[in-house]
Amino acid sequence: MKTLKQISLWKYLPLTLLWSLFFTPCGAQNCIVEDWTISIVSNDMTSMTVQQKKVLTIVNQQGARHAAFVCSCSKKNKLSSFHGIVTDGSGQVVREIKKSELLRTEYSPYLAVDDYKMYYDYTPPTFPVTITYEWTMECRDNVIEYPWFCPQDDYEVSVRHAAYTLQVPKEQTVRHTQQNISTQVTRTEEKKMQVLSLQLSDLPALHREPFTRPLHERIPLAFFAPQQFVYYGEEGHFNDWKEYGQWEYSLVQGRDELPAAVREKLHQMTDGLPNDRDKVERVYRFLGETTRYVAILLGIGGQQPATAEQVAESGFGDCKGLTNYMCAMLKEIGISSSYTVISMDHRRLMPDFASVGQMNHVILQVPLPGDTIWIECTNPRIPFGYVHEDIAGHDAVTVNADGGQIVRLPVYADTANVEKNAVQVTLTPDGTASIQLKQETRCRQMEDRLPLSKMDKNDLHRALQRMVHAPQNIVSNSQVSIDGLSLHIQATMNSQKYASANGMRLFVPLYPIRHGHTTLKSDTLRTEDIVISYGYVDEDDVTFIIPEGYEIEAMPSDTIINSTFGTFSIQLTVNANTVRVNRRLLLKAGTYPAEQYLQLFNFFQTAVNSESQKMVLKKISGTL
């Protein structure tokens, strides 16, 4: 509640601060989009002018990163004008920013790319501060889509007003769709142009919640694209995913010719193999042995793969080039496959709106009888046929002569994503311990461990020390091996202080393996459904060998929990001088109502608390 003195001061507050007082929902708010207008004029299929004005109020230090200006440019996308102005909380101008003050960076992880960024990194000295950026882009020869309308692009950002207008010739067909927006796009006519418009206002900030949909599925978005286009001189059109696939096929068609030496090598490697799966696997190994991934994003090369011959001769290619090369090699030995376009960021494609911008990767589908193999051609460390986490369960579009077809990649069952640990801990009276570890991980949990297989001895030992909760731990021996979709680790360790000695007692941690379970807050106000995208199983079998002359004084009791979200159990068995601890957690992937959040908190808290449990050993009276 405001005091009378506070209320009397309202008329002196700037409009932006008043907005934050009235419209901030429960929870933090870091930035307010006061106004964001995007105006696009495209007089023909080869060019467009994009004018933007963005007015932001940065509320606090957490929102300071929104103060920066960043603009992606290229040879075909030019920043023709720019102006910035900064005002403080009282409305006074504290800084003007000219185009000449922008910095340019061409840094990129890619080998060949014609993109660069113009940017200005502004750090507000006080808060609140309001920043206005106005800029114009001139784009030519690459108008395959129009800019997206995305006024709310982060958590803790509210939007007061945002508007989008697109002007194109009347005879041009523009496709559009939207998500999380109830307002409809309006269409009017002005002389020879049609104008499509969309406005939004009073959008409350979205708050980050654990186990929820990704941000891009929660925010309001609108997409616009021409049905017919000219892309780097190549005419094209598509209205749906089938036609999109036909266009992609036109870019791939005729680019599968292989050098004679490669064709001969392929037959030497595969002609004697008993079945097609073995042949595909052998060619996949050959791809990994003879090529490496290097991204190339130049002109239409951003969409069109290098020829198979170019990849064979150079030994490198991007996802498009390597996939096309793999497809060509399989074709040479009589195995058909499909060039497949996919997003590694978005699980779902918009079924009624085909667009290039939804995709950022290419893989290969090999449909064998009763066994469809998905091949990631850019990373030879991935086991043959394994569907990695960036594409598992994602929609994709297979590209063939008859067009594109949306398919969905498989997801491994929760019980297939396994981590099994067999640990033997031999204790001594002073608290030191020798530890023998055998670990097997499969599928998604195996994928998390893959980097270990390429580490040198020192890095591997440091990683194992972090994996095992044992103070002053020294790894004396280790081995990592991969068998299909399983990764195996064996290690011998010595901890100088595994148990805490106190007089006649030893306090012994029961769980030497770190699982890193999610820690939740019990008082979180939940609004979104709970989304667990990745289910798994952890199984620990830990055997403690008790030092001679000691007996068990106290130990935790068994625990069994059956929850909507999975199961959790702890069982302890005492036999002579050993204590065996069996611990199992199953987390089930799925979508659950928001009101079950407290149940999820309790489920995870039980697992987290178990990692801190100890048993107490007491020295037997009369022993030395």
Side-chain angles (χ1 to χ4, degrees):
M1 178 180 293
K2 300 290 189 296
T3 66
L4 290 177
K5 183 177 181 180
Q6 288 173 314
I7 294 174
S8 68
L9 294 174
W10 282 4
K11 63 180 180 179
Y12 300 107
L13 294 175
L15 182 62
T16 55
L17 189 53
L18 280 173
W19 173 259
S20 67
L21 291 175
F22 279 116
F23 293 97
T24 302
C26 295
Q29 178 177 233
N30 301 329
C31 177
I32 303 165
V33 178
E34 306 285 358
D35 185 50
W36 192 347
T37 58
I38 303 174
S39 178
I40 304 161
V41 178
S42 179
N43 293 309
D44 54 49
M45 291 191 294
T46 64
S47 65
M48 66 178 170
T49 300
V50 182
Q51 294 181 311
Q52 297 196 53
K53 181 180 180 180
K54 189 175 183 180
V55 184
L56 302 174
T57 293
I58 311 302
V59 178
N60 52 37
Q61 183 64 47
Q62 289 70 36
R65 61 193 180 88
H66 295 284
F69 173 82
V70 181
C71 177
S72 294
C73 306
S74 69
K75 292 180 181 179
K76 301 295 184 179
N77 299 320
K78 303 284 188 181
L79 180 66
S80 59
S81 69
F82 169 85
H83 181 255
I85 188 168
V86 183
T87 58
D88 62 18
S90 64
Q92 295 295 313
V93 175
V94 297
R95 184 170 183 79
E96 290 198 42
I97 308 165
K98 301 177 182 179
K99 183 182 177 184
S100 59
E101 296 180 76
L102 297 181
L103 300 176
R104 171 172 170 155
T105 176
E106 296 183 7
Y107 169 77
S108 170
Y110 307 123
L111 172 69
V113 59
D114 53 19
D115 288 354
Y116 61 92
K117 285 182 171 57
M118 302 296 293
Y119 70 96
Y120 184 81
D121 190 8
Y122 179 72
T123 302
T126 59
F127 302 97
V129 63
T130 298
I131 303 175
T132 300
Y133 291 123
E134 295 183 74
W135 70 101
T136 302
M137 296 290 300
E138 301 290 343
C139 308
R140 296 190 177 277
D141 299 330
N142 60 357
V143 187
I144 197 169
E145 292 179 351
Y146 301 112
W148 296 0
F149 185 40
C150 180
Q152 191 174 31
D153 56 1
D154 201 358
Y155 293 107
E156 317 307 343
V157 174
S158 63
V159 178
R160 184 179 185 188
H161 178 262
Y164 184 100
T165 60
L166 170 63
Q167 296 184 52
V168 298
K170 287 182 181 180
E171 64 273 12
Q172 191 168 337
T173 301
V174 176
R175 300 180 297 112
H176 61 85
T177 192
Q178 57 200 51
Q179 74 169 33
N180 302 322
I181 297 176
S182 57
T183 306
Q184 297 301 308
V185 174
T186 61
R187 181 184 180 278
T188 58
E189 293 187 358
E190 296 179 5
K191 297 181 180 180
K192 296 182 179 181
M193 305 291 281
Q194 58 174 315
V195 182
L196 287 80
S197 303
L198 182 61
Q199 295 196 42
L200 296 175
S201 59
D202 300 348
L203 301 178
L206 297 173
H207 304 300
R208 192 186 303 272
E209 297 180 349
F211 291 105
T212 190
R213 294 179 297 163
L215 179 65
H216 66 258
E217 294 182 12
R218 298 178 62 188
I219 58 177
L221 285 168
F223 306 87
F224 300 81
Q227 182 172 318
Q228 293 183 301
F229 53 85
V230 178
Y231 187 69
Y232 287 93
E234 297 286 336
E235 293 189 14
H237 76 277
F238 53 82
N239 189 54
D240 53 30
W241 288 112
K242 181 176 181 180
E243 292 181 348
Y244 166 85
Q246 291 172 338
W247 179 71
E248 285 280 358
Y249 185 78
S250 72
L251 301 180
V252 178
Q253 192 174 19
R255 306 179 75 81
D256 57 358
E257 291 296 321
L258 293 168
V262 173
R263 295 201 305 270
E264 182 180 353
K265 178 67 173 178
L266 288 170
H267 287 287
Q268 289 176 354
M269 292 188 303
T270 63
D271 284 352
L273 296 178
N275 57 63
D276 284 351
R277 183 180 178 86
D278 289 344
K279 293 179 180 180
V280 176
E281 183 173 6
R282 183 64 190 94
V283 176
Y284 175 72
R285 292 207 310 270
F286 176 73
L287 177 77
E289 293 163 357
T290 58
T291 64
R292 61 189 177 92
Y293 170 78
V294 179
I296 302 170
L297 302 174
L298 294 173
I300 198 171
Q303 294 297 321
Q304 187 174 54
T307 66
E309 185 174 27
Q310 289 171 331
V311 175
E313 291 177 351
S314 66
F316 63 78
D318 60 11
C319 62
K320 303 179 298 295
L322 294 173
T323 300
N324 179 60
Y325 182 43
M326 182 73 185
C327 183
M329 290 192 291
L330 293 180
K331 179 181 176 181
E332 173 63 27
I333 61 173
I335 298 175
S336 63
S337 59
S338 294
Y339 186 90
T340 302
V341 191
I342 195 170
S343 170
M344 293 198 296
D345 299 325
H346 300 169
R347 290 172 63 88
R348 297 291 165 260
L349 299 175
M350 292 177 283
D352 300 324
F353 186 78
S355 67
V356 171
Q358 293 181 65
M359 308 298 198
N360 63 5
H361 193 46
V362 176
I363 59 175
L364 193 67
Q365 180 203 54
V366 186
L368 299 180
D371 181 19
T372 297
I373 303 171
W374 299 95
I375 298 181
E376 172 60 75
C377 299
T378 62
N379 187 352
R381 290 192 304 175
I382 293 178
F384 171 70
Y386 175 68
V387 182
H388 61 84
E389 65 176 314
D390 290 330
I391 58 175
H394 287 215
D395 291 344
V397 175
T398 55
V399 174
N400 293 292
D402 57 354
Q405 180 181 356
I406 294 181
V407 296
R408 185 165 295 176
L409 272 67
V411 176
Y412 293 104
D414 301 338
T415 52
N417 303 315
V418 176
E419 177 182 317
K420 289 186 176 182
N421 293 290
V423 186
Q424 179 176 293
V425 181
T426 303
L427 297 164
T428 64
D430 62 359
T432 63
S434 62
I435 302 171
Q436 298 290 330
L437 168 67
K438 291 184 179 180
Q439 183 183 90
E440 178 188 4
T441 51
R442 296 200 294 267
C443 295
R444 284 287 294 274
Q445 303 230 57
M446 173 274 300
E447 186 175 348
D448 294 339
R449 295 282 190 258
L450 273 177
L452 299 178
S453 65
K454 298 297 181 181
M455 288 183 179
D456 61 29
K457 180 180 178 180
N458 291 333
D459 288 341
L460 175 60
H461 285 187
R462 281 192 287 268
L464 292 174
Q465 287 170 336
R466 292 190 295 269
M467 187 188 305
V468 177
H469 181 57
Q472 300 178 30
N473 187 23
I474 298 174
V475 182
S476 59
N477 188 31
S478 63
Q479 181 179 348
V480 179
S481 61
I482 298 175
D483 178 16
L485 301 186
S486 296
L487 184 143
H488 301 267
I489 298 172
Q490 294 190 44
T492 300
M493 309 175 184
N494 290 279
S495 172
Q496 300 304 305
K497 198 175 181 181
Y498 184 84
S500 299
N502 186 352
M504 299 180 65
R505 291 175 173 81
L506 285 176
F507 297 87
V508 184
L510 288 179
Y511 304 102
I513 301 299
R514 294 182 185 271
H515 287 291
H517 299 301
T518 302
T519 302
L520 303 178
K521 295 181 179 180
S522 61
D523 59 350
T524 300
L525 180 62
R526 187 79 188 191
T527 60
E528 283 277 308
D529 283 347
I530 299 164
V531 179
I532 300 176
S533 58
Y534 165 35
Y536 60 86
V537 174
D538 288 337
E539 295 182 352
D540 296 336
D541 184 352
V542 185
T543 300
F544 292 92
I545 300 178
I546 299 173
E548 186 176 352
Y550 279 78
E551 63 183 359
I552 298 170
E553 182 180 53
M555 61 191 307
S557 58
D558 291 354
T559 302
I560 298 178
I561 298 176
N562 291 304
S563 166
T564 303
F565 304 99
T567 60
F568 179 78
S569 64
I570 303 170
Q571 294 179 307
L572 295 92
T573 305
V574 179
N575 185 11
N577 69 330
T578 66
V579 176
R580 187 172 180 180
V581 182
N582 292 104
R583 181 175 180 275
R584 186 179 191 272
L585 181 144
L586 165 64
L587 182 67
K588 297 179 181 179
T591 300
Y592 307 89
E595 53 266 26
Q596 293 184 351
Y597 176 78
L598 187 57
Q599 296 178 39
L600 180 66
F601 166 80
N602 291 330
F603 181 75
F604 270 109
Q605 196 61 41
T606 301
V608 170
N609 291 342
S610 74
E611 293 189 349
S612 62
Q613 292 189 99
K614 296 180 180 181
M615 66 176 173
V616 181
L617 303 181
K618 183 180 179 181
K619 191 172 184 180
I620 300 172
S621 178
T623 59
L624 296 179

